[in-house]
Amino acid sequence: MPHKCLGHGLATDIDDDEPVNQEQVACQVNQKNRSRTWWVWERVVLGVWMLTTVVLTRSYSGNLVSLLAVRHIPMPIQSLRDVVDNPVTFLVQKGTNQAYTIQTAESGVFRDLNNLQKEGRFQTVHASEVTKNLDVKVRRGDHTLMDVEDVTKMMMAQDFSVTGKCDFYLAREKFLYSMHAMTGPKDSPLINAVSRRIITVREAGMYDHWINSYTPNMTTCLNPPTTMAVRSSLSLSNIWGTLVVYVAGLAISFHVFCFELIYSHLR
């Protein structure tokens, strides 16, 4: 049964009934060799070179297609340590428990965050300015915001309702857990009754259900995709690396050709 071998502008049929010569095998790696008597070590070198060429060409082609077709969305900030290590400015709401904990910390990552004030990378903002800073500074990519998780989810949902895009993401690390409570008269018999009902509502998931129902698109951007398929047409900026390799190869080949001419002339 014939197999088709494709080269650069060359198509050749190889018949299984005929012995395969060097010219037919050379078509697989787009290289030409003259038929002659081969030593054993030459056969080994040729086989290794052919295998290396096939692996490199196939892997490069696959990686090039994947890089051009799929674009990875960077999400570098996943913990407080990432905030310290990356060149971003840390924003926290002024007068909150989070701001007090960071500003009074004497060790650990919270102290490192507080030391960012010396570099101008730690800022406190008023509650009325949180939404504005999220829309301008955090969207720009050089700021990160720390706030209550439910409040952050609401702001992300509201932004998605306006823009239709998930421009923000939540870090995987959770920190500074806080308790919410209702106050009542001391030794009041209503305390135990209200506490039991609050626990029942919380354990039944009604609180989370009410929060999600109150704000549209509450869960839309909680798990944003990390990759994105590119459907736009390619431009020269997308394949500039391939062009650089091609031009560099031509330049090296030209210099080698000139060297061979000069060497043959001197001989």
Side-chain angles (χ1 to χ4, degrees):
M1 182 176 64
H3 301 280
K4 181 161 290 188
C5 170
L6 298 179
H8 290 288
L10 173 66
T12 306
D13 290 327
I14 301 177
D15 197 340
D16 289 342
D17 298 333
E18 297 179 358
V20 179
N21 57 30
Q22 294 293 334
E23 295 182 356
Q24 293 172 338
V25 175
C27 179
Q28 298 292 337
V29 292
N30 303 319
Q31 295 183 356
K32 175 71 173 178
N33 282 300
R34 296 179 179 178
S35 299
R36 64 179 181 83
T37 302
W38 292 82
W39 295 92
V40 176
W41 69 269
E42 291 179 325
R43 294 177 181 271
V44 174
V45 172
L46 178 62
V48 173
W49 172 250
M50 291 172 57
L51 180 62
T52 304
T53 305
V54 171
V55 172
L56 290 178
T57 53
R58 295 298 182 267
S59 61
Y60 177 77
S61 300
N63 291 334
L64 180 62
V65 172
S66 62
L67 288 175
L68 295 178
V70 179
R71 182 176 302 167
H72 292 270
I73 303 175
M75 297 181 182
I77 307 300
Q78 297 295 341
S79 64
L80 293 178
R81 177 55 58 184
D82 293 336
V83 175
V84 177
D85 297 337
N86 286 272
V88 295
T89 302
F90 185 71
L91 303 177
V92 64
Q93 190 176 148
K94 191 174 184 178
T96 59
N97 179 44
Q98 294 87 357
Y100 176 79
T101 302
I102 295 174
Q103 291 174 337
T104 57
E106 298 180 356
S107 62
V109 66
F110 293 116
R111 181 181 180 181
D112 295 337
L113 287 174
N114 188 35
N115 291 336
L116 294 179
Q117 297 185 49
K118 302 176 182 178
E119 305 175 14
R121 293 174 49 201
F122 179 84
Q123 300 176 5
T124 57
V125 295
H126 292 281
S128 59
E129 301 175 349
V130 171
T131 304
K132 180 181 179 181
N133 282 274
L134 179 72
D135 186 49
V136 178
K137 295 182 178 180
V138 179
R139 189 187 303 275
R140 195 169 56 205
D142 54 0
H143 287 67
T144 182
L145 174 67
M146 180 181 182
D147 208 334
V148 180
E149 184 176 4
D150 291 337
V151 176
T152 306
K153 291 180 180 178
M154 290 181 183
M155 291 189 295
M156 292 171 57
Q158 294 171 357
D159 181 77
F160 178 82
S161 301
V162 174
T163 63
K165 299 184 298 182
C166 294
D167 292 334
F168 309 101
Y169 66 95
L170 290 176
R172 288 192 293 264
E173 184 185 35
K174 308 297 180 182
F175 34 80
L176 291 180
Y177 290 91
S178 59
M179 299 293 293
H180 295 269
M182 296 178 60
T183 60
K186 186 177 181 180
D187 299 328
S188 173
L190 297 176
I191 297 296
N192 293 332
V194 173
S195 296
R196 286 196 300 269
R197 284 163 175 77
I198 291 177
I199 294 175
T200 301
V201 170
R202 184 65 180 178
E203 291 179 345
M206 295 303 298
Y207 176 78
D208 295 333
H209 174 72
W210 290 334
I211 290 293
N212 295 336
S213 301
Y214 175 77
T215 306
N217 304 315
M218 187 69 173
T219 60
T220 303
C221 297
L222 296 185
N223 297 299
T226 57
T227 58
M228 178 180 60
V230 180
R231 302 178 183 271
S232 59
S233 58
L234 299 178
S235 60
L236 291 178
S237 60
N238 299 121
I239 58 175
W240 68 269
T242 306
L243 296 178
V244 170
V245 174
Y246 178 71
V247 173
L250 291 179
I252 294 175
S253 302
F254 177 76
H255 285 80
V256 172
F257 176 70
C258 294
F259 175 77
E260 291 180 349
L261 290 179
I262 297 174
Y263 181 76
S264 62
H265 178 71
L266 294 177
R267 291 187 59 184

